[in-house]
């Protein structure tokens, strides 16, 4: 196991994992982080008020982990905002963001770091974001976590990415991405009030607008979802978050240029149509959609710093 570069002048990598009532999966994920060929210098775990003994398990089996147990569940969006804030406050240079059901293969982080180096240019430096290839438990590429290719990537971007064995991307999910901490300090944390869904899309498009992101096939992570499927699977009542957050994103986020808003809005409507077509209970989806439209049009997300302060997390000066 190769130690991190602290003390050798290298970048300090903080892994950030958000969890809620998935103790056994989290244990597997943390074991995978511990056994990386290049281990992260710090591991921050945000426990969203789990009731299944998660905190005790982490404290007992992974004493090296920086564990923060929140007083209430603030969702994946709030959890990643809290974890990133904590990592930034600790001086991280790079942030490796992972869900609690993500099990990276042993060389995942080392491959992401290698790609950053290979894709560095004299004019622009390294890419702002590098994403792992995400697979399901049977080895198939996971459609839920396939990064969006960058539309109209320049010839130079494509050439640099290909030379590093990668492809240019426009967004990615919180399932094994390596993010430049300086970019987060400049452009801000994930929007905590999204709670769940679209928080990673909004965050990564905001970070990558006008900047480079790459998908690294050599870095592989297994996403252990219960079922194999994409984002058009029937979410039931949770469709509320999809609708509300998409409205917030398209009407308020600086992550998308005007033309991109049209492009992704059209893609969203097509995906919603597939969701309704495949649903066994469309009445639930219609009610969730109506609530989401109402909330999305009548308000804006609460400030992230204020929401995190409610659960005892102070946002460092970015």
């Amino acid at each position: 196991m190769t130690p991190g570069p602290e003390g050798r002048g290298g970048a300090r990598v903080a892994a950030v994992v958000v969890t809620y009532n998935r103790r056994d999966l989290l244990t597997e994920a943390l074991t995978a982080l511990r056994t990386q060929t290049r281990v992260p210098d710090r591991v921050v775990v945000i426990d969203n008020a789990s009731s299944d003994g998660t905190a005790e398990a982490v404290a007992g089996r992974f004493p090296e982990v920086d564990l923060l147990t929140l007083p209430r569940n603030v969702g994946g969006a709030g959890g990643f905002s809290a974890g990133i804030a904590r990592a930034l406050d600790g001086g991280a240079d790079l942030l490796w963001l992972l869900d609690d059901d993500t099990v990276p293969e042993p060389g995942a982080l080392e491959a992401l770091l290698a790609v950053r180096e290979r894709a560095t240019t004299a004019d622009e430096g390294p890419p702002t974001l590098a994403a792992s290839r995400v697979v399901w438990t049977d080895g198939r590429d996971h459609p839920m976590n396939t990064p969006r290719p960058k539309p109209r990537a320049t010839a130079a971007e494509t050439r640099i990415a290909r030379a590093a064995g990668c492809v240019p991307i426009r967004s990615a999910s919180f399932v094994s991405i390596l993010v430049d901490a300086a970019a987060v300090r400049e452009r801000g944390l994930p929007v905590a009030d999204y709670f769940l869904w679209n928080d990673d899309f909004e965050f990564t498009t905001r970070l990558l607008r006008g900047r480079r992101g790459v998908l690294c096939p050599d870095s592989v992570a297994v996403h252990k979802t219960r079922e194999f499927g994409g984002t058009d699977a029937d979410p039931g009542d949770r469709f509320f978050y999809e609708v509300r957050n998409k409205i917030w994103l398209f009407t308020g986020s600086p992550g998308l240029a005007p033309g991109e808003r049209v492009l992704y809005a059209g893609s969203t409507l097509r995906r919603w149509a597939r969701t309704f077509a495949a649903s066994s209970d469309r009445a639930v989806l219609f009610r969730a959609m109506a609530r989401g439209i109402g909330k999305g049009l009548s308000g804006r997300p609460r400030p992230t710093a204020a929401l995190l302060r409610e659960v005892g997390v102070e946002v460092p000066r970015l």
Side-chain angles (χ1 to χ4, degrees), residues 54-75:
T54 287
E56 294 79 6
V58 173
R61 297 186 59 178
F62 303 94
E64 73 276 16
V65 165
D66 178 11
L67 172 67
L68 176 61
T69 299
L70 302 182
R72 73 169 192 267
N73 183 6
V74 292

Side-chain angles (χ1 to χ4, degrees), residues 1-309:
M1 182 173 66
T2 303
E6 285 191 325
R8 297 190 280 118
R12 293 163 294 178
V13 180
V16 177
V17 184
V18 177
T19 189
Y20 177 67
N21 281 342
R22 292 201 285 206
R23 180 190 59 201
D24 294 341
L25 281 170
L26 176 65
T27 296
E28 190 174 357
L30 293 180
T31 300
L33 295 186
R34 181 187 272 174
T35 55
Q36 288 289 297
T37 55
R38 193 308 200 177
V39 296
D41 302 292
R42 183 182 181 195
V43 177
V44 177
V45 171
I46 301 298
D47 175 16
N48 258 324
S50 297
S51 58
D52 64 347
T54 287
E56 294 79 6
V58 173
R61 297 186 59 178
F62 303 94
E64 73 276 16
V65 165
D66 178 11
L67 172 67
L68 176 61
T69 299
L70 302 182
R72 73 169 192 267
N73 183 6
V74 292
F80 275 109
S81 295
I84 292 171
R86 196 171 180 93
L88 292 177
D89 195 39
D93 300 308
L94 296 170
L95 306 163
W96 190 19
L97 310 180
L98 309 104
D99 274 339
D100 57 0
D101 56 354
T102 302
V103 181
E105 292 191 351
L109 177 57
E110 187 173 14
L112 291 174
L113 291 168
V115 157
R116 274 180 52 86
E117 184 173 345
R118 293 198 303 269
T120 293
T121 68
D123 293 335
E124 299 180 356
T128 296
L129 182 152
S132 297
R133 175 189 170 214
V134 181
V135 301
W136 197 48
T137 53
D138 62 1
R140 287 181 289 172
D141 287 345
H142 206 312
M144 184 181 293
N145 309 113
T146 301
R148 294 173 184 263
K150 184 172 184 177
R152 296 182 295 279
T154 67
E157 281 182 291
T158 302
R159 174 178 50 79
I160 294 166
R162 285 179 177 171
C166 302
V167 295
I169 58 173
R170 185 64 181 91
S171 67
S173 72
F174 285 150
V175 181
S176 190
I177 57 173
L178 188 67
V179 174
D180 191 326
V184 180
R185 290 187 174 96
E186 178 186 337
R187 297 196 173 180
L189 301 170
V191 181
D193 205 24
Y194 273 44
F195 193 77
L196 58 84
W197 283 16
N198 297 300
D199 50 319
D200 45 9
F201 179 68
E202 192 282 331
F203 176 68
T204 57
T205 54
R206 178 159 36 97
L207 290 187
L208 289 177
R209 185 170 181 181
R211 294 178 172 171
R212 291 184 298 127
V214 294
L215 169 63
C216 173
D218 291 338
S219 175
V220 178
V222 180
H223 193 194
K224 293 197 166 185
T225 56
R226 293 181 182 177
E227 298 178 356
F228 179 84
T231 55
D232 55 356
D234 189 342
D237 195 55
R238 294 196 302 173
F239 194 53
F240 162 80
Y241 295 105
E242 159 69 5
V243 174
R244 183 198 65 178
N245 294 351
K246 273 293 187 347
I247 293 173
W248 281 351
L249 190 155
F250 290 138
T251 60
S253 172
L256 297 176
E260 290 178 315
R261 293 176 194 273
V262 174
L263 175 67
Y264 289 123
S267 174
T268 294
L269 292 175
R270 289 192 296 272
R271 188 170 62 254
W272 288 1
R274 292 195 300 270
T275 299
F276 272 93
S279 174
S280 60
D281 194 342
R282 294 174 188 168
V284 170
L285 291 182
F286 274 117
R287 287 194 296 269
M289 173 180 275
R291 289 194 300 116
I293 292 173
K295 291 292 186 181
L297 295 177
S298 65
R300 302 300 307 157
R302 289 175 290 167
T304 291
L307 190 151
L308 293 184
R309 198 171 297 120

